[in-house]
Amino acid sequence: MTKLQRLQTAKDYYPNAQIELTANSDFQLLIAVVLSAQTTDVAVNKVTPQLFEAFADAKALKEAEYEEVYPLINKLGLAKQKSKNIIKAAKIYDEDFKNIMPRTIEELTKMPGVGNKTASVCLANVYDLPFMAVDTHVWRISKRLSIVGEDANVDQVARELEKILPKKDILQYHHSLIFFGRYMCLARNPKCDKCLLQDDCNFNK
């Protein structure tokens, strides 16, 4: 199979996959993605209802005190730093970006806690821009299927996928590959017996 065919086969297992973080606005999506760093979406979805009930938008969150935010998200990994980051990010979002999601990686990454991956997720989901966010699942699958070399870093994986995939379908590939990694091609015990990509996979070779 070609690289695109391998990725297409993986995507076809979960063709209707969607983002699993819950949010009611672009700003809430940004905060949820920031909180999801080194934490599962399931865990984030357990804390954001209370967080967003207390601080529904950037105007509210930028005025919050650390002592108010931390107890609402303290079950998440890196909660102390994330509490500080989302308050500072809210201030920038409200005052510098006028409560409108920026359309560039460069602008988004000016906010604390927002790296290239978080920015890519937001731009792809809010504006359907052709950015491939590379999480641990996409990174692992890309290496197992020899889309990139074993020494490729996250940015190299993203650029290679953006080059291979049809631009109009990058967001769907992103969601589907995450599901494929989360539910089929697991890190420790992948379900190889149910996978059509065994001949193209480096796992156990």
Side-chain angles (χ1 to χ4, degrees):
M1 292 186 187
T2 66
K3 290 182 178 181
L4 179 57
Q5 287 172 330
R6 282 172 245 159
L7 293 166
Q8 175 74 57
T9 300
K11 180 178 79 73
D12 286 347
Y13 278 95
Y14 304 95
N16 300 313
Q18 297 180 349
I19 191 168
E20 292 190 310
L21 291 170
T22 55
N24 293 318
S25 68
D26 295 348
F27 175 71
Q28 289 187 3
L29 174 65
L30 170 70
I31 297 303
V33 179
V34 169
L35 295 179
S36 71
Q38 299 185 42
T39 305
T40 66
D41 290 356
V42 172
V44 173
N45 287 339
K46 288 180 179 179
V47 304
T48 49
Q50 284 184 306
L51 176 67
F52 295 146
E53 181 179 357
F55 309 104
D57 53 30
K59 288 184 182 298
L61 186 55
K62 76 173 186 179
E63 302 294 342
E65 298 293 336
Y66 167 83
E67 291 78 12
E68 297 176 291
V69 174
Y70 176 71
L72 298 176
I73 67 168
N74 63 1
K75 293 181 180 179
L76 302 180
L78 306 175
K80 290 182 179 180
Q81 189 59 52
K82 287 176 180 178
S83 298
K84 298 173 184 177
N85 284 345
I86 63 175
I87 293 171
K88 293 176 182 177
K91 181 177 176 64
I92 296 172
Y93 194 92
D94 181 55
E95 297 179 5
D96 294 359
F97 301 140
K98 309 305 179 186
N99 263 309
I100 298 173
M101 179 77 72
R103 296 182 70 98
T104 69
I105 296 282
E106 292 73 22
E107 289 176 295
L108 278 164
T109 52
K110 290 179 181 178
M111 289 182 280
V114 180
N116 284 351
K117 176 198 162 190
T118 296
S120 295
V121 170
C122 291
L123 291 175
N125 282 277
V126 173
Y127 295 123
D128 200 20
L129 294 177
F131 290 104
M132 172 57 77
V134 177
D135 72 343
T136 183
H137 301 299
V138 175
W139 184 83
R140 180 174 69 254
I141 292 164
S142 297
K143 295 195 173 188
R144 283 185 177 173
L145 297 181
S146 298
I147 306 300
V148 297
E150 279 297 319
D151 59 346
N153 61 35
V154 169
D155 288 338
Q156 290 169 329
V157 173
R159 300 296 82 78
E160 181 66 14
L161 291 172
E162 289 168 0
K163 182 175 72 175
I164 294 169
L165 298 173
K167 291 188 181 302
K168 65 180 180 63
D169 298 326
I170 283 180
L171 178 59
Q172 188 57 63
Y173 271 94
H174 167 68
H175 293 317
S176 295
L177 291 175
I178 287 175
F179 272 46
F180 185 74
R182 188 175 289 166
Y183 304 117
M184 177 75 76
C185 192
L186 288 73
R188 294 185 179 179
N189 297 298
K191 300 175 182 178
C192 299
D193 59 320
K194 298 180 180 179
C195 183
L196 296 174
L197 286 161
Q198 293 181 62
D199 292 342
D200 297 277
C201 182
N202 292 322
F203 188 73
N204 280 337
K205 288 186 179 179

